[in-house]
Short mmCIF file of all heavy atoms in Angstrom, two decimals:
data_model
loop_
_atom_site.label_atom_id
_atom_site.label_comp_id
_atom_site.label_asym_id
_atom_site.label_seq_id
_atom_site.Cartn_x
_atom_site.Cartn_y
_atom_site.Cartn_z
N ALA X 1 121.28 86.01 129.71
CA ALA X 1 120.16 86.91 129.51
C ALA X 1 118.85 86.13 129.39
O ALA X 1 117.83 86.59 129.88
CB ALA X 1 120.38 87.80 128.30
N LYS X 2 118.93 84.98 128.67
CA LYS X 2 117.69 84.20 128.51
C LYS X 2 117.11 83.72 129.86
O LYS X 2 115.99 83.86 130.08
CB LYS X 2 117.97 82.98 127.61
CG LYS X 2 118.31 83.28 126.21
CD LYS X 2 117.03 83.14 125.35
CE LYS X 2 117.39 83.28 123.88
NZ LYS X 2 116.19 83.57 123.14
N ALA X 3 117.96 83.29 130.72
CA ALA X 3 117.52 82.78 132.01
C ALA X 3 116.92 83.96 132.82
O ALA X 3 115.90 83.79 133.46
CB ALA X 3 118.67 82.15 132.79
N PHE X 4 117.60 85.08 132.82
CA PHE X 4 117.11 86.17 133.66
C PHE X 4 115.84 86.80 133.09
O PHE X 4 115.10 87.46 133.83
CB PHE X 4 118.21 87.21 133.78
CG PHE X 4 119.39 86.76 134.57
CD1 PHE X 4 120.66 86.70 133.97
CD2 PHE X 4 119.27 86.31 135.86
CE1 PHE X 4 121.72 86.24 134.68
CE2 PHE X 4 120.35 85.82 136.59
CZ PHE X 4 121.56 85.83 135.95
N SER X 5 115.56 86.58 131.82
CA SER X 5 114.29 87.03 131.23
C SER X 5 113.15 86.04 131.36
O SER X 5 112.04 86.29 130.91
CB SER X 5 114.48 87.45 129.73
OG SER X 5 114.72 86.28 128.98
N GLY X 6 113.50 84.89 131.94
CA GLY X 6 112.50 83.85 132.20
C GLY X 6 112.41 82.76 131.07
O GLY X 6 111.65 81.83 131.18
N ASP X 7 113.25 82.86 130.11
CA ASP X 7 113.28 81.84 129.02
C ASP X 7 114.29 80.74 129.42
O ASP X 7 115.45 80.70 128.93
CB ASP X 7 113.69 82.45 127.70
CG ASP X 7 113.75 81.50 126.56
OD1 ASP X 7 113.39 80.30 126.75
OD2 ASP X 7 114.09 81.92 125.41
N LEU X 8 113.87 79.86 130.27
CA LEU X 8 114.71 78.84 130.82
C LEU X 8 115.13 77.76 129.73
O LEU X 8 116.25 77.28 129.68
CB LEU X 8 114.17 78.15 132.01
CG LEU X 8 113.86 79.08 133.23
CD1 LEU X 8 113.21 78.25 134.39
CD2 LEU X 8 115.20 79.68 133.65
N VAL X 9 114.19 77.48 128.90
CA VAL X 9 114.48 76.54 127.78
C VAL X 9 115.55 77.09 126.83
O VAL X 9 116.50 76.44 126.44
CB VAL X 9 113.24 76.14 127.00
CG1 VAL X 9 113.53 75.29 125.72
CG2 VAL X 9 112.26 75.43 127.91
N GLY X 10 115.37 78.36 126.48
CA GLY X 10 116.38 79.03 125.66
C GLY X 10 117.76 79.12 126.41
O GLY X 10 118.81 78.94 125.78
N ALA X 11 117.69 79.37 127.69
CA ALA X 11 118.94 79.43 128.46
C ALA X 11 119.63 78.07 128.44
O ALA X 11 120.85 78.02 128.33
CB ALA X 11 118.64 79.89 129.90
N ASP X 12 118.86 77.04 128.61
CA ASP X 12 119.40 75.71 128.59
C ASP X 12 120.17 75.43 127.28
O ASP X 12 121.25 74.98 127.36
CB ASP X 12 118.29 74.66 128.79
CG ASP X 12 118.72 73.20 128.69
OD1 ASP X 12 119.88 72.90 129.01
OD2 ASP X 12 117.87 72.40 128.30
N ASN X 13 119.53 75.78 126.17
CA ASN X 13 120.12 75.61 124.86
C ASN X 13 121.40 76.41 124.78
O ASN X 13 122.46 75.91 124.29
CB ASN X 13 119.14 75.95 123.78
CG ASN X 13 118.02 74.93 123.67
OD1 ASN X 13 118.17 73.76 124.03
ND2 ASN X 13 116.86 75.43 123.26
N TYR X 14 121.37 77.65 125.06
CA TYR X 14 122.50 78.55 124.96
C TYR X 14 123.69 78.13 125.87
O TYR X 14 124.86 78.21 125.54
CB TYR X 14 122.21 80.00 125.17
CG TYR X 14 121.49 80.64 124.02
CD1 TYR X 14 121.06 81.97 124.10
CD2 TYR X 14 121.30 80.05 122.80
CE1 TYR X 14 120.42 82.62 123.09
CE2 TYR X 14 120.71 80.69 121.73
CZ TYR X 14 120.24 81.96 121.86
OH TYR X 14 119.68 82.57 120.80
N LEU X 15 123.31 77.72 127.10
CA LEU X 15 124.38 77.33 128.03
C LEU X 15 125.07 76.02 127.57
O LEU X 15 126.28 75.93 127.68
CB LEU X 15 123.77 77.10 129.45
CG LEU X 15 123.45 78.33 130.19
CD1 LEU X 15 122.52 78.10 131.35
CD2 LEU X 15 124.79 79.01 130.68
N GLN X 16 124.35 75.14 126.93
CA GLN X 16 124.97 73.94 126.35
C GLN X 16 125.96 74.29 125.27
O GLN X 16 127.04 73.74 125.27
CB GLN X 16 123.87 72.96 125.86
CG GLN X 16 124.49 71.63 125.44
CD GLN X 16 125.17 70.93 126.61
OE1 GLN X 16 124.54 70.70 127.71
NE2 GLN X 16 126.40 70.52 126.39
N ILE X 17 125.58 75.23 124.39
CA ILE X 17 126.48 75.65 123.33
C ILE X 17 127.73 76.31 123.93
O ILE X 17 128.85 76.00 123.53
CB ILE X 17 125.74 76.64 122.39
CG1 ILE X 17 124.66 75.87 121.59
CG2 ILE X 17 126.76 77.31 121.47
CD1 ILE X 17 123.67 76.74 120.87
N ALA X 18 127.50 77.21 124.95
CA ALA X 18 128.66 77.89 125.58
C ALA X 18 129.60 76.90 126.26
O ALA X 18 130.82 77.07 126.16
CB ALA X 18 128.10 78.91 126.58
N GLU X 19 129.00 75.89 126.90
CA GLU X 19 129.84 74.93 127.57
C GLU X 19 130.66 74.12 126.57
O GLU X 19 131.87 73.82 126.76
CB GLU X 19 129.01 73.95 128.39
CG GLU X 19 128.41 74.56 129.61
CD GLU X 19 127.27 73.77 130.19
OE1 GLU X 19 127.04 72.60 129.82
OE2 GLU X 19 126.51 74.31 131.00
N ASP X 20 130.07 73.77 125.42
CA ASP X 20 130.79 73.03 124.35
C ASP X 20 131.98 73.89 123.87
O ASP X 20 133.08 73.33 123.72
CB ASP X 20 129.86 72.65 123.26
CG ASP X 20 128.86 71.63 123.63
OD1 ASP X 20 129.00 70.95 124.64
OD2 ASP X 20 127.82 71.47 122.88
N TYR X 21 131.73 75.10 123.65
CA TYR X 21 132.83 76.03 123.19
C TYR X 21 133.94 76.12 124.23
O TYR X 21 135.10 76.09 123.92
CB TYR X 21 132.29 77.42 122.87
CG TYR X 21 131.73 77.51 121.48
CD1 TYR X 21 130.37 77.74 121.28
CD2 TYR X 21 132.52 77.46 120.36
CE1 TYR X 21 129.79 77.83 120.01
CE2 TYR X 21 131.98 77.54 119.08
CZ TYR X 21 130.67 77.79 118.90
OH TYR X 21 130.16 77.82 117.65
N GLN X 22 133.50 76.17 125.54
CA GLN X 22 134.51 76.30 126.56
C GLN X 22 135.30 75.05 126.74
O GLN X 22 136.53 75.08 126.90
CB GLN X 22 133.82 76.60 127.88
CG GLN X 22 134.72 77.16 128.98
CD GLN X 22 135.31 78.48 128.67
OE1 GLN X 22 134.79 79.23 127.87
NE2 GLN X 22 136.44 78.83 129.26
N ARG X 23 134.68 73.87 126.57
CA ARG X 23 135.46 72.60 126.60
C ARG X 23 136.43 72.58 125.43
O ARG X 23 137.57 72.13 125.59
CB ARG X 23 134.46 71.43 126.50
CG ARG X 23 133.72 71.22 127.82
CD ARG X 23 132.84 69.92 127.65
NE ARG X 23 131.86 69.91 128.71
CZ ARG X 23 130.59 70.31 128.55
NH1 ARG X 23 130.12 70.76 127.37
NH2 ARG X 23 129.73 70.32 129.57
N LYS X 24 135.99 72.97 124.29
CA LYS X 24 136.92 73.00 123.13
C LYS X 24 138.02 73.96 123.36
O LYS X 24 139.19 73.70 122.98
CB LYS X 24 136.09 73.38 121.83
CG LYS X 24 135.20 72.34 121.35
CD LYS X 24 134.48 72.76 120.13
CE LYS X 24 133.36 71.75 119.76
NZ LYS X 24 132.52 72.24 118.70
N GLY X 25 137.78 75.09 124.03
CA GLY X 25 138.83 76.09 124.37
C GLY X 25 139.88 75.46 125.25
O GLY X 25 141.08 75.74 125.06
N ILE X 26 139.40 74.70 126.23
CA ILE X 26 140.34 74.03 127.19
C ILE X 26 141.26 73.06 126.42
O ILE X 26 142.44 72.96 126.77
CB ILE X 26 139.57 73.37 128.28
CG1 ILE X 26 138.91 74.40 129.20
CG2 ILE X 26 140.43 72.34 129.03
CD1 ILE X 26 137.99 73.79 130.26
N GLU X 27 140.71 72.41 125.40
CA GLU X 27 141.55 71.45 124.65
C GLU X 27 142.48 72.13 123.59
O GLU X 27 143.27 71.45 123.03
CB GLU X 27 140.63 70.44 124.00
CG GLU X 27 139.89 69.56 124.99
CD GLU X 27 140.79 68.80 125.93
OE1 GLU X 27 141.83 68.26 125.48
OE2 GLU X 27 140.51 68.75 127.11
N SER X 28 142.29 73.37 123.35
CA SER X 28 143.13 74.05 122.37
C SER X 28 144.51 74.33 122.93
O SER X 28 144.74 74.27 124.13
CB SER X 28 142.48 75.37 121.96
OG SER X 28 142.58 76.31 123.06
N PRO X 29 145.49 74.64 122.02
CA PRO X 29 146.85 74.97 122.58
C PRO X 29 146.86 76.13 123.59
O PRO X 29 147.45 76.03 124.61
CB PRO X 29 147.55 75.40 121.27
CG PRO X 29 146.90 74.63 120.23
CD PRO X 29 145.44 74.56 120.60
N ALA X 30 146.02 77.13 123.34
CA ALA X 30 145.93 78.24 124.29
C ALA X 30 145.29 77.79 125.57
O ALA X 30 145.64 78.28 126.68
CB ALA X 30 145.15 79.45 123.71
N GLY X 31 144.29 76.93 125.44
CA GLY X 31 143.61 76.40 126.60
C GLY X 31 144.49 75.63 127.56
O GLY X 31 144.25 75.70 128.77
N HIS X 32 145.52 75.01 127.01
CA HIS X 32 146.41 74.27 127.89
C HIS X 32 147.20 75.28 128.72
O HIS X 32 147.47 75.01 129.94
CB HIS X 32 147.37 73.43 127.04
CG HIS X 32 146.65 72.23 126.40
ND1 HIS X 32 146.66 71.01 126.92
CD2 HIS X 32 145.93 72.19 125.30
CE1 HIS X 32 145.96 70.23 126.13
NE2 HIS X 32 145.48 70.88 125.14
N GLU X 33 147.59 76.38 128.17
CA GLU X 33 148.32 77.36 128.86
C GLU X 33 147.42 78.14 129.89
O GLU X 33 147.86 78.61 130.94
CB GLU X 33 148.97 78.38 127.95
CG GLU X 33 150.06 77.75 127.10
CD GLU X 33 150.63 78.77 126.12
OE1 GLU X 33 150.61 79.92 126.35
OE2 GLU X 33 151.19 78.27 125.07
N LEU X 34 146.13 78.29 129.51
CA LEU X 34 145.23 79.09 130.34
C LEU X 34 144.20 78.22 131.04
O LEU X 34 143.10 78.56 131.30
CB LEU X 34 144.52 80.12 129.45
CG LEU X 34 145.40 81.11 128.72
CD1 LEU X 34 144.62 81.87 127.72
CD2 LEU X 34 146.08 82.04 129.75
N HIS X 35 144.58 76.92 131.28
CA HIS X 35 143.63 75.93 131.80
C HIS X 35 142.93 76.43 133.03
O HIS X 35 141.67 76.25 133.14
CB HIS X 35 144.35 74.60 132.07
CG HIS X 35 143.42 73.54 132.44
ND1 HIS X 35 143.07 73.34 133.81
CD2 HIS X 35 142.72 72.61 131.75
CE1 HIS X 35 142.20 72.29 133.85
NE2 HIS X 35 141.99 71.94 132.62
N SER X 36 143.62 77.00 133.96
CA SER X 36 142.99 77.40 135.19
C SER X 36 141.87 78.39 134.96
O SER X 36 140.76 78.28 135.53
CB SER X 36 144.04 78.00 136.12
OG SER X 36 143.47 78.48 137.36
N MET X 37 142.14 79.44 134.19
CA MET X 37 141.08 80.45 133.88
C MET X 37 139.91 79.87 133.11
O MET X 37 138.77 80.12 133.42
CB MET X 37 141.72 81.60 133.12
CG MET X 37 140.77 82.71 132.79
SD MET X 37 141.58 84.18 132.11
CE MET X 37 142.21 83.53 130.56
N TYR X 38 140.24 79.10 132.10
CA TYR X 38 139.17 78.44 131.26
C TYR X 38 138.34 77.46 132.09
O TYR X 38 137.13 77.43 132.01
CB TYR X 38 139.76 77.70 130.11
CG TYR X 38 140.22 78.58 128.92
CD1 TYR X 38 140.40 79.95 129.09
CD2 TYR X 38 140.48 78.07 127.70
CE1 TYR X 38 140.81 80.75 128.01
CE2 TYR X 38 140.88 78.84 126.65
CZ TYR X 38 141.06 80.17 126.82
OH TYR X 38 141.46 80.95 125.73
N ALA X 39 138.98 76.72 132.98
CA ALA X 39 138.29 75.75 133.84
C ALA X 39 137.38 76.50 134.81
O ALA X 39 136.25 76.03 135.06
CB ALA X 39 139.23 74.84 134.58
N HIS X 40 137.88 77.61 135.29
CA HIS X 40 137.04 78.36 136.29
C HIS X 40 135.75 78.89 135.57
O HIS X 40 134.64 78.85 136.16
CB HIS X 40 137.84 79.54 136.83
CG HIS X 40 137.08 80.45 137.73
ND1 HIS X 40 136.72 80.10 139.00
CD2 HIS X 40 136.54 81.71 137.52
CE1 HIS X 40 136.02 81.08 139.58
NE2 HIS X 40 135.92 82.04 138.68
N THR X 41 135.91 79.34 134.35
CA THR X 41 134.79 79.89 133.62
C THR X 41 133.75 78.74 133.34
O THR X 41 132.59 78.88 133.42
CB THR X 41 135.23 80.49 132.25
OG1 THR X 41 136.14 81.54 132.56
CG2 THR X 41 134.06 81.02 131.45
N LEU X 42 134.28 77.56 132.89
CA LEU X 42 133.39 76.48 132.60
C LEU X 42 132.72 75.98 133.87
O LEU X 42 131.49 75.69 133.84
CB LEU X 42 134.20 75.27 131.99
CG LEU X 42 133.41 74.00 131.69
CD1 LEU X 42 132.24 74.30 130.81
CD2 LEU X 42 134.32 72.94 131.08
N LYS X 43 133.41 75.95 135.00
CA LYS X 43 132.81 75.61 136.28
C LYS X 43 131.64 76.53 136.62
O LYS X 43 130.55 76.09 137.04
CB LYS X 43 133.83 75.62 137.40
CG LYS X 43 133.31 75.05 138.69
CD LYS X 43 134.46 74.98 139.71
CE LYS X 43 133.88 74.33 140.99
NZ LYS X 43 134.98 73.94 141.93
N SER X 44 131.84 77.85 136.40
CA SER X 44 130.73 78.80 136.66
C SER X 44 129.54 78.56 135.76
O SER X 44 128.37 78.59 136.19
CB SER X 44 131.27 80.22 136.47
OG SER X 44 132.20 80.51 137.39
N MET X 45 129.82 78.23 134.53
CA MET X 45 128.72 77.97 133.55
C MET X 45 127.98 76.73 133.96
O MET X 45 126.72 76.73 133.90
CB MET X 45 129.29 77.73 132.13
CG MET X 45 129.55 78.99 131.34
SD MET X 45 129.98 78.54 129.68
CE MET X 45 131.43 79.53 129.44
N LEU X 46 128.69 75.71 134.29
CA LEU X 46 128.03 74.40 134.70
C LEU X 46 127.22 74.59 135.92
O LEU X 46 126.08 74.06 136.02
CB LEU X 46 129.12 73.35 134.95
CG LEU X 46 129.86 72.89 133.67
CD1 LEU X 46 131.14 72.10 134.09
CD2 LEU X 46 128.95 71.99 132.81
N THR X 47 127.64 75.36 136.83
CA THR X 47 126.91 75.59 138.11
C THR X 47 125.60 76.36 137.85
O THR X 47 124.54 75.99 138.31
CB THR X 47 127.82 76.32 139.12
OG1 THR X 47 128.98 75.53 139.37
CG2 THR X 47 127.05 76.52 140.45
N PHE X 48 125.74 77.41 136.98
CA PHE X 48 124.55 78.16 136.60
C PHE X 48 123.58 77.30 135.81
O PHE X 48 122.37 77.34 136.02
CB PHE X 48 124.96 79.42 135.87
CG PHE X 48 123.79 80.30 135.51
CD1 PHE X 48 123.02 80.89 136.50
CD2 PHE X 48 123.45 80.50 134.19
CE1 PHE X 48 121.93 81.64 136.16
CE2 PHE X 48 122.38 81.30 133.80
CZ PHE X 48 121.61 81.89 134.79
N HIS X 49 124.10 76.50 134.87
CA HIS X 49 123.29 75.63 134.10
C HIS X 49 122.56 74.62 134.98
O HIS X 49 121.35 74.36 134.75
CB HIS X 49 124.18 74.94 133.05
CG HIS X 49 123.40 74.33 131.90
ND1 HIS X 49 124.02 73.84 130.82
CD2 HIS X 49 122.06 74.14 131.68
CE1 HIS X 49 123.11 73.37 129.97
NE2 HIS X 49 121.89 73.56 130.45
N ALA X 50 123.17 74.15 135.99
CA ALA X 50 122.49 73.23 136.94
C ALA X 50 121.35 73.91 137.60
O ALA X 50 120.28 73.30 137.82
CB ALA X 50 123.56 72.74 137.98
N GLN X 51 121.47 75.19 137.95
CA GLN X 51 120.38 75.95 138.53
C GLN X 51 119.16 76.06 137.54
O GLN X 51 118.02 75.94 137.89
CB GLN X 51 120.80 77.30 138.94
CG GLN X 51 121.75 77.30 140.08
CD GLN X 51 122.33 78.68 140.44
OE1 GLN X 51 122.35 79.61 139.54
NE2 GLN X 51 122.82 78.86 141.62
N VAL X 52 119.53 76.33 136.28
CA VAL X 52 118.51 76.42 135.23
C VAL X 52 117.82 75.08 135.11
O VAL X 52 116.52 75.02 135.07
CB VAL X 52 119.11 76.86 133.85
CG1 VAL X 52 118.13 76.74 132.72
CG2 VAL X 52 119.57 78.35 133.96
N LEU X 53 118.56 74.03 134.99
CA LEU X 53 117.97 72.65 134.85
C LEU X 53 117.12 72.30 136.08
O LEU X 53 116.08 71.69 135.91
CB LEU X 53 119.10 71.66 134.65
CG LEU X 53 119.80 71.75 133.31
CD1 LEU X 53 121.12 70.93 133.32
CD2 LEU X 53 118.89 71.35 132.12
N THR X 54 117.54 72.66 137.23
CA THR X 54 116.73 72.42 138.44
C THR X 54 115.41 73.13 138.33
O THR X 54 114.34 72.59 138.62
CB THR X 54 117.52 72.83 139.68
OG1 THR X 54 118.72 72.07 139.79
CG2 THR X 54 116.65 72.65 140.94
N ALA X 55 115.45 74.41 137.88
CA ALA X 55 114.21 75.14 137.72
C ALA X 55 113.28 74.54 136.72
O ALA X 55 112.05 74.69 136.74
CB ALA X 55 114.58 76.58 137.38
N LEU X 56 113.88 73.84 135.70
CA LEU X 56 113.06 73.17 134.70
C LEU X 56 112.62 71.80 135.11
O LEU X 56 111.94 71.12 134.36
CB LEU X 56 113.98 73.00 133.37
CG LEU X 56 114.23 74.27 132.59
CD1 LEU X 56 115.25 74.01 131.51
CD2 LEU X 56 112.92 74.76 131.95
N GLY X 57 112.98 71.42 136.33
CA GLY X 57 112.55 70.08 136.87
C GLY X 57 113.40 68.94 136.37
O GLY X 57 112.97 67.80 136.42
N ARG X 58 114.59 69.26 135.90
CA ARG X 58 115.50 68.23 135.36
C ARG X 58 116.69 68.03 136.34
O ARG X 58 117.84 68.28 136.04
CB ARG X 58 115.98 68.63 134.00
CG ARG X 58 114.88 68.71 132.99
CD ARG X 58 115.25 69.25 131.66
NE ARG X 58 116.37 68.52 131.11
CZ ARG X 58 117.21 68.96 130.21
NH1 ARG X 58 117.00 70.16 129.71
NH2 ARG X 58 118.22 68.21 129.72
N SER X 59 116.37 67.53 137.51
CA SER X 59 117.31 67.37 138.62
C SER X 59 118.50 66.40 138.29
O SER X 59 119.60 66.59 138.69
CB SER X 59 116.67 67.01 139.91
OG SER X 59 115.99 65.77 139.79
N ASP X 60 118.18 65.33 137.57
CA ASP X 60 119.24 64.41 137.15
C ASP X 60 120.27 65.07 136.27
O ASP X 60 121.54 64.86 136.48
CB ASP X 60 118.63 63.17 136.42
CG ASP X 60 117.85 62.28 137.39
OD1 ASP X 60 118.04 62.41 138.57
OD2 ASP X 60 117.11 61.43 136.81
N ALA X 61 119.83 65.84 135.25
CA ALA X 61 120.74 66.53 134.32
C ALA X 61 121.52 67.59 135.16
O ALA X 61 122.73 67.84 134.88
CB ALA X 61 119.96 67.20 133.23
N ALA X 62 120.82 68.23 136.12
CA ALA X 62 121.50 69.26 136.97
C ALA X 62 122.60 68.63 137.74
O ALA X 62 123.68 69.19 137.89
CB ALA X 62 120.49 69.95 137.87
N GLN X 63 122.34 67.43 138.31
CA GLN X 63 123.34 66.77 139.14
C GLN X 63 124.57 66.43 138.30
O GLN X 63 125.68 66.58 138.77
CB GLN X 63 122.74 65.53 139.77
CG GLN X 63 123.67 64.79 140.66
CD GLN X 63 124.09 65.68 141.87
OE1 GLN X 63 123.33 66.42 142.39
NE2 GLN X 63 125.33 65.56 142.22
N LYS X 64 124.39 66.00 137.02
CA LYS X 64 125.49 65.67 136.17
C LYS X 64 126.36 66.94 135.93
O LYS X 64 127.54 66.87 135.88
CB LYS X 64 125.02 65.09 134.83
CG LYS X 64 124.44 63.70 135.00
CD LYS X 64 123.94 63.16 133.71
CE LYS X 64 123.33 61.76 133.91
NZ LYS X 64 122.80 61.23 132.65
N LYS X 65 125.71 68.05 135.74
CA LYS X 65 126.44 69.35 135.56
C LYS X 65 127.27 69.66 136.78
O LYS X 65 128.47 70.09 136.72
CB LYS X 65 125.50 70.49 135.23
CG LYS X 65 124.73 70.38 133.95
CD LYS X 65 125.60 70.52 132.77
CE LYS X 65 124.76 70.40 131.46
NZ LYS X 65 125.61 70.45 130.27
N LEU X 66 126.65 69.45 137.95
CA LEU X 66 127.41 69.73 139.19
C LEU X 66 128.59 68.80 139.39
O LEU X 66 129.68 69.21 139.86
CB LEU X 66 126.43 69.71 140.36
CG LEU X 66 125.39 70.83 140.42
CD1 LEU X 66 124.46 70.55 141.60
CD2 LEU X 66 126.08 72.19 140.59
N GLU X 67 128.36 67.52 139.03
CA GLU X 67 129.42 66.59 139.15
C GLU X 67 130.57 66.93 138.27
O GLU X 67 131.84 66.87 138.65
CB GLU X 67 128.94 65.15 138.81
CG GLU X 67 128.06 64.63 139.88
CD GLU X 67 127.34 63.30 139.48
OE1 GLU X 67 127.59 62.81 138.38
OE2 GLU X 67 126.49 62.90 140.30
N GLU X 68 130.31 67.37 136.99
CA GLU X 68 131.36 67.80 136.07
C GLU X 68 132.06 69.04 136.64
O GLU X 68 133.30 69.11 136.57
CB GLU X 68 130.78 68.09 134.70
CG GLU X 68 131.85 68.50 133.72
CD GLU X 68 131.29 68.82 132.31
OE1 GLU X 68 130.09 68.61 132.07
OE2 GLU X 68 132.09 69.27 131.47
N ALA X 69 131.31 69.98 137.17
CA ALA X 69 131.89 71.18 137.72
C ALA X 69 132.87 70.82 138.91
O ALA X 69 133.92 71.44 139.03
CB ALA X 69 130.79 72.13 138.20
N ASN X 70 132.47 69.91 139.72
CA ASN X 70 133.30 69.58 140.89
C ASN X 70 134.58 68.87 140.53
O ASN X 70 135.53 68.83 141.27
CB ASN X 70 132.52 68.71 141.85
CG ASN X 70 131.46 69.42 142.59
OD1 ASN X 70 131.56 70.67 142.82
ND2 ASN X 70 130.37 68.81 142.97
N LYS X 71 134.65 68.34 139.27
CA LYS X 71 135.85 67.68 138.79
C LYS X 71 136.88 68.67 138.25
O LYS X 71 138.03 68.32 138.06
CB LYS X 71 135.54 66.65 137.77
CG LYS X 71 134.79 65.45 138.26
CD LYS X 71 134.45 64.46 137.16
CE LYS X 71 133.61 63.29 137.63
NZ LYS X 71 133.23 62.45 136.54
N LEU X 72 136.45 69.89 138.05
CA LEU X 72 137.38 70.88 137.39
C LEU X 72 138.22 71.54 138.44
O LEU X 72 138.04 71.68 139.56
CB LEU X 72 136.57 71.98 136.70
CG LEU X 72 135.84 71.48 135.45
CD1 LEU X 72 134.90 72.56 134.95
CD2 LEU X 72 136.78 71.11 134.39
#
């Protein structure tokens, strides 16, 4: 919602928090069983976060998000 309302800095912060939670979820016992679904969600977040970072002029950080997404 932050990104769509134009608050890219807020979106960057919230997406980082969401990604951290998703990574922790993947490492949890349930995450091991649901790895495919959790990884797909994280990949989507990382890709969107890369778009936000690109819009903020942070192409290096965006590239790192895309590289992580491509490893999932």
Side-chain angles (χ1 to χ4, degrees):
K2 292 264 187 196
F4 294 119
S5 69
D7 181 3
L8 298 178
V9 173
D12 176 29
N13 291 329
Y14 281 177
L15 284 163
Q16 188 60 52
I17 292 167
E19 289 164 13
D20 290 344
Y21 277 112
Q22 196 66 22
R23 286 184 197 97
K24 288 176 186 175
I26 289 172
E27 294 302 317
S28 73
H32 291 263
E33 293 178 24
L34 300 169
H35 185 271
S36 177
M37 183 173 59
Y38 283 17
H40 177 74
T41 301
L42 179 57
K43 186 173 185 170
S44 295
M45 279 188 225
L46 290 165
T47 302
F48 183 63
H49 198 170
Q51 293 174 337
V52 169
L53 291 167
T54 298
L56 288 169
R58 296 176 53 203
S59 58
D60 289 344
Q63 185 60 36
K64 288 179 183 177
K65 297 290 182 183
L66 292 174
E67 289 170 4
E68 183 181 352
N70 287 331
K71 292 178 184 177
L72 293 172

